[in-house]
Amino acid sequence: MKSLAILGSTGSVGKSTLDVIRKNKDEFKIELLTARTNFRLMAEQCKEFTPKFVYLENKEAQKSFLDELGTNNPQVTLLSDEKELNQIIASEDLEIVVAAMVGIVGLKPVFQAIKHGKHILLANKESYVVAGEILNNLSKKTGATIFPIDSEHSAIHQCLMGVKNKESISRLILTGSGGPFLNRDINDFKNITPKEATTHPIWNMGDKISVDSSTMMNKCLEIIEAKWLFGFDDIDVLIHPEGIIHSLVEFKDKSLIAQLSIPDMKIPIAYGLGFPERINSGGDSLDFEKISNLSFVKPDSKKFPSLVLAKDCINSGGTSFSTLNAANEECVASFLEGRIGYLDIHKIISEVLDKSDIKMVEEIGDIFEADMQSREMTKELININ
Ligand code: MG
């Protein structure tokens, strides 16, 4: 049995991971589940999956969790702080860490897991976007493996199976659904509400990633994520609204390999959990007769200027990735709270990137420093907006 931790088990990817585990109960045992505040769902998950350890970041939620779990239920140890959490992540009993939390908060536990040579299933793209180079270097030293479960990167991983020489690859093509505003008039973008931006046409996801998907910041982050994961800079984006082809690799001879399935996160998660074997994902078969059309559109960088920021940041390197990510996290949170308009998201991020001093990254502290400075500047700009 493989032992695993799910960091962020009550979120969308965490829940899908548990769906896959449910189908493969004899192969996995759950060591640790973590969440921020959702104590009710955590208590339910504990009753079903009996993890040894649980961590809830919010202190109030920790208390409520114990009440909710009751006394007649399986013995789980509730960890009280980050220090204890780090000990469990480092422990020898743990093999796989599923990093399914949202945002830069994922960086510390992901760093800890890599430091201790774990097999990491990465859905927390933000940590890899900001610290890809450092995390790659660290994993070379410790023997940790980083395995993508973002659907596009999982697709590319599958397309690259058996490719021995990077020279054979001509480019990576990340597909994207285009989000909910693909066909909306650009003049109407200023009126977009949080509710509209969090309603994704294809994928059922959390609020932050849904807004990122609507602005195409998600694709921007995914370009950077792909650069670090596959060590390749030639990355194109193709809008494919049906969400059936999850990404492609083009080779030197102009042959293409694509990975297809219905859009269901359980499928890339099962690929990561089972690798190199294939396990039951619980997802449905793709019914070709029901697909009337597979369409492709070039991304419109006027409507979705975030996309361009990926190449800008790749050119600048250093702390530009953490500056970009922090500004985006702050802007998305403020947009969801109704404090800034939809178009302000990109406007403010661009301004923060323009005004920030981009520095070299030598250690993980440089990333946290840049993150903090970017957040401060972003908050100032949000307040005067
Ligand atoms: Mg994705």
Side-chain angles (χ1 to χ4, degrees):
M1 265 182 142
K2 295 179 187 168
S3 62
L4 87 166
I6 305 175
L7 311 180
S9 69
T10 59
S12 156
V13 171
K15 286 190 277 186
S16 295
T17 306
L18 288 171
D19 288 340
V20 178
I21 303 285
R22 196 178 284 121
K23 295 268 173 202
N24 300 274
K25 275 199 165 146
D26 297 338
E27 309 206 21
F28 300 96
K29 74 169 191 285
I30 300 204
E31 195 77 7
L32 164 71
L33 295 178
T34 80
R36 233 166 7 142
T37 54
N38 194 344
F39 64 89
R40 277 203 185 91
L41 182 55
M42 179 59 87
E44 263 176 52
Q45 291 178 345
C46 284
K47 286 171 196 170
E48 181 178 357
F49 294 96
T50 60
K52 265 197 220 156
F53 301 99
V54 162
Y55 178 65
L56 285 151
E57 195 187 302
N58 182 287
K59 294 275 172 205
E60 292 294 311
Q62 291 184 2
K63 276 186 224 145
S64 313
F65 167 77
L66 291 174
D67 293 340
E68 187 78 17
L69 193 67
T71 46
N72 298 326
N73 285 300
Q75 289 296 309
V76 292
T77 304
L78 180 65
L79 306 173
S80 61
D81 56 27
E82 236 178 79
K83 207 175 142 207
E84 288 185 357
L85 173 66
N86 279 336
Q87 281 170 356
I88 303 303
I89 294 176
S91 76
E92 282 198 356
D93 295 341
L94 187 64
E95 274 174 81
I96 304 171
V97 174
V98 182
M101 65 296 254
V102 178
I104 188 75
V105 291
L107 180 54
K108 277 186 191 166
V110 166
F111 185 80
Q112 174 75 352
I114 293 177
K115 203 168 129 191
H116 293 275
K118 305 295 173 194
H119 180 57
I120 294 129
L121 300 191
L122 187 80
N124 176 254
K125 68 188 77 174
E126 292 90 344
S127 61
Y128 219 60
V129 164
V130 302
E133 197 168 13
I134 282 190
L135 298 180
N136 278 343
N137 290 338
L138 184 64
S139 63
K140 268 184 212 137
K141 273 189 214 153
T142 64
T145 43
I146 299 153
F147 203 99
I149 48 177
D150 206 345
S151 60
E152 294 79 358
H153 305 76
S154 170
I156 288 175
H157 192 280
Q158 297 180 56
C159 296
L160 289 175
M161 277 296 101
V163 177
K164 291 207 176 77
N165 190 346
K166 235 198 254 174
E167 298 289 299
S168 323
I169 307 164
S170 126
R171 60 184 172 134
L172 311 181
I173 306 171
L174 295 176
T175 55
S177 68
F181 310 130
L182 183 63
N183 298 315
R184 186 144 166 172
D185 186 334
I186 191 169
N187 296 314
D188 193 34
F189 269 39
K190 58 181 184 298
N191 301 318
I192 290 170
T193 64
K195 189 163 186 291
E196 290 171 312
T198 48
T199 312
H200 196 274
I202 298 284
W203 295 95
N204 185 6
M205 310 180 286
D207 284 351
K208 195 262 176 181
I209 187 170
S210 295
V211 176
D212 283 351
S213 179
S214 82
T215 59
M216 290 208 194
M217 177 56 83
N218 185 48
K219 216 44 64 183
C220 166
L221 299 176
E222 285 180 353
I223 292 172
I224 302 168
E225 185 188 6
K227 169 195 164 58
W228 296 128
L229 280 169
F230 304 110
F232 207 80
D233 279 355
D234 213 339
I235 305 165
D236 289 335
V237 170
L238 183 65
I239 302 304
H240 165 47
E242 295 83 10
I244 299 293
I245 297 179
H246 298 297
S247 278
L248 312 92
V249 174
E250 186 187 71
F251 295 90
K252 223 177 183 174
D253 58 6
K254 304 303 172 208
S255 175
L256 288 149
I257 295 186
Q259 184 262 336
L260 290 75
S261 74
I262 61 155
D264 181 341
M265 278 311 290
K266 294 198 294 293
I267 298 172
I269 291 167
Y271 176 67
L273 284 171
F275 190 81
E277 308 297 327
R278 296 276 183 168
I279 60 171
N280 182 2
S281 67
D284 290 331
S285 283
L286 175 59
D287 186 344
F288 280 96
E289 283 159 28
K290 277 194 188 149
I291 312 170
S292 54
N293 186 30
L294 291 179
S295 55
F296 305 95
V297 193
K298 201 179 157 200
D300 181 344
S301 55
K302 262 210 182 97
K303 264 169 118 170
F304 304 105
S306 297
L307 216 42
V308 183
L309 297 177
K311 302 259 155 151
D312 290 352
C313 286
I314 288 175
N315 287 334
S316 315
T319 53
S320 67
F321 305 112
S322 27
T323 305
L324 167 80
N325 180 67
N328 182 55
E329 285 189 19
E330 290 296 329
C331 285
V332 170
S334 293
F335 168 70
L336 287 170
E337 288 164 8
R339 297 178 58 215
I340 58 171
Y342 190 74
L343 290 177
D344 296 327
I345 301 175
H346 178 74
K347 204 179 99 193
I348 295 173
I349 296 169
S350 301
E351 203 173 332
V352 172
L353 277 171
D354 283 346
K355 287 184 176 164
S356 296
D357 285 332
I358 303 305
K359 296 186 186 118
M360 294 246 297
V361 171
E362 274 158 26
E363 51 176 22
I364 196 93
D366 299 335
I367 288 167
F368 288 116
E369 173 82 24
D371 177 272
M372 199 183 69
Q373 285 172 355
S374 169
R375 277 174 211 274
E376 274 171 19
M377 196 189 287
T378 309
K379 281 178 192 159
E380 269 172 39
L381 291 171
I382 286 169
N383 287 334
I384 56 171
N385 220 278

